[in-house]
Amino acid sequence: MVVKGEMDSNVTEPESLWHILQEMDPAWTTTVMLVPCVVLLTAGLFYVYGLIVGLLTKTSVRNKVVVITDALSALGKECSGVFHKGGARLILCGKSWEKLEELADDLANASDPTVTFPPKLVLVDFGDMDSMPEVIEEILDCYGCLDVLILNSSMKVKAPAQSLSLEMDKLLMDNNYFGPVTLAKGVLPSMISRRTGHLLLVNSIQGKLAVPFRSTYAASKHAVQAFFDCLRAEVEEYGISVSTINHTFISRAASEHAEAPSSKSVWSLLYTEKPLGVSPVEAAAELVKTLSNKKKEVLIAPSLPKMAVYARSFFPNVFFAVMAAGVKSADASENM
């Protein structure tokens, strides 16, 4: 009889639970049933996405010679880790030899030395254009050839146009235009002779549109965008791919919070760091996909900046009016 009682309780317990669910609000019942499914589905999608990115990395860069400029930046470090684990022959470039050595040690400690290559290090400072011939020679001497050049360097400045000196204008153009262009020109003959290669420019969305108080920065980004757009058509016959990735912002580490905007002007929404920033992980994943599918141009941005790019092309007068209104709004806020 005891056993029967236990069996009866076991039988009626699910029935009671079913009656409770039937008596509940249908909306609550649907929520209770869907939430676990959504969680499991999301986790599964992230898992599959990670597998796909890892597979793309291995197939796109394994055994290939990959140069990363400004490897010490947030995106540079992320790409270095991804490509190193993917089996690339890395040439890491940066301004500090000590920090480059630290990065190389971190990569070595986090990987299996039997399936990876120790990265080679090259000091590169686009602010010193006189050193570029030696830099190009050193990069080409590392492996005797080059498969992928990732131009990741950038120098930023924010100020009214009339307050910037000519020396500052030249420094920005050296870092954002003349440096990357000179390096690309230097390695092109090697790629042309081998009839293969991929040049990838990591550029700002300001290569597509300009925001007030960043005149020289935007000018340098427009210039380097135009150069690689032209170069893409010129080298296609040699089997060389040219890609540009335009992003709103590469987010920094949590300990390096950017300065908050001084005013909530209309145009400041296009270039604020927190809501519109792209994480280094996201940017590196997009970069891997771009190398794999050889896509010519990629725009990594939320809806608002994308709309601004199209507005600049199709409704220029409206775009200019919004930009001007944003400046007036900022001036009014500062005078209050």
Side-chain angles (χ1 to χ4, degrees):
M1 295 295 293
V2 175
V3 174
K4 184 179 180 181
E6 290 178 355
M7 292 177 63
D8 289 341
S9 63
N10 291 336
V11 171
T12 57
E13 184 176 350
E15 293 178 355
S16 300
L17 180 60
W18 174 249
H19 286 307
I20 292 173
L21 289 174
Q22 284 182 320
E23 293 175 0
M24 289 176 63
D25 189 332
W28 278 102
T29 305
T30 303
T31 302
V32 170
M33 298 179 66
L34 284 181
V35 167
C37 296
V38 171
V39 172
L40 290 174
L41 179 61
T42 303
L45 289 175
F46 275 108
Y47 178 74
V48 173
Y49 179 76
L51 291 178
I52 293 174
V53 171
L55 181 61
L56 287 175
T57 304
K58 292 180 180 180
T59 57
S60 60
V61 300
R62 177 169 293 280
N63 294 324
K64 291 186 178 180
V65 179
V66 180
V67 176
I68 303 177
T69 65
D70 197 8
L72 300 175
S73 65
L75 177 58
K77 289 181 179 179
E78 183 66 29
C79 289
S80 299
V82 171
F83 293 153
H84 183 67
K85 292 178 181 179
R89 302 171 188 263
L90 284 179
I91 302 175
L92 305 179
C93 305
K95 297 181 181 180
S96 171
W97 185 260
E98 291 76 15
K99 292 182 179 180
L100 284 174
E101 287 184 322
E102 291 177 7
L103 176 58
D105 291 339
D106 292 340
L107 294 176
N109 294 332
S111 62
D112 183 356
T114 61
V115 296
T116 58
F117 299 93
K120 296 183 180 294
L121 312 177
V122 178
L123 283 174
V124 176
D125 182 2
F126 287 146
D128 180 15
M129 290 301 298
D130 293 336
S131 66
M132 289 310 297
E134 290 77 14
V135 166
I136 294 169
E137 182 178 359
E138 185 176 355
I139 288 176
L140 292 175
D141 285 344
C142 286
Y143 289 102
C145 65
L146 185 63
D147 295 301
V148 178
L149 172 60
I150 299 175
L151 296 160
N152 174 49
S153 304
S154 182
M155 180 179 180
K156 301 178 179 66
V157 66
K158 177 183 177 182
Q162 69 274 14
S163 68
L164 289 176
S165 65
L166 182 59
E167 288 72 20
M168 180 57 71
D169 289 341
K170 290 180 178 179
L171 183 60
L172 256 75
M173 291 301 294
D174 282 345
N175 278 274
N176 297 344
Y177 175 73
F178 288 112
V181 166
T182 301
L183 182 54
K185 287 183 176 181
V187 303
L188 264 178
S190 173
M191 291 184 173
I192 291 174
S193 65
R194 298 174 62 233
R195 297 274 172 168
T196 184
H198 199 148
L199 302 174
L200 193 152
L201 172 68
V202 181
N203 202 23
S204 168
I205 194 174
Q206 292 199 53
K208 295 291 187 179
L209 56 84
V211 175
F213 303 117
R214 294 173 177 85
S215 54
T216 303
Y217 175 73
S220 65
K221 293 301 182 179
H222 271 68
V224 74
Q225 181 82 28
F227 176 87
F228 282 94
D229 283 349
C230 293
L231 184 66
R232 180 183 296 112
E234 295 178 15
V235 300
E236 185 175 359
E237 63 175 306
Y238 303 112
I240 299 173
S241 301
V242 176
S243 302
T244 57
I245 294 181
N246 298 84
H247 59 80
T248 51
F249 201 96
I250 300 296
S251 304
R252 292 178 288 183
S255 60
E256 300 178 14
H257 291 304
E259 182 181 352
S262 58
S263 63
K264 295 182 180 179
S265 60
V266 176
W267 57 262
S268 67
L269 296 175
L270 299 176
Y271 203 75
T272 52
E273 183 170 340
K274 281 190 176 181
L276 304 181
V278 179
S279 73
V281 175
E282 293 172 323
E286 192 64 48
L287 195 147
V288 168
K289 289 192 293 183
T290 303
L291 288 176
S292 178
N293 59 28
K294 297 183 178 180
K295 194 170 183 179
K296 294 177 174 59
E297 186 172 85
V298 177
L299 178 60
I300 310 176
S303 299
L304 183 60
K306 286 182 179 179
M307 289 172 59
V309 172
Y310 294 123
R312 171 62 180 85
S313 299
F314 298 105
F315 308 102
N317 290 337
V318 175
F319 177 82
F320 297 146
V322 172
M323 294 297 103
V327 173
K328 292 177 183 178
S329 174
D331 292 340
S333 300
E334 292 177 357
N335 292 331
M336 290 179 63

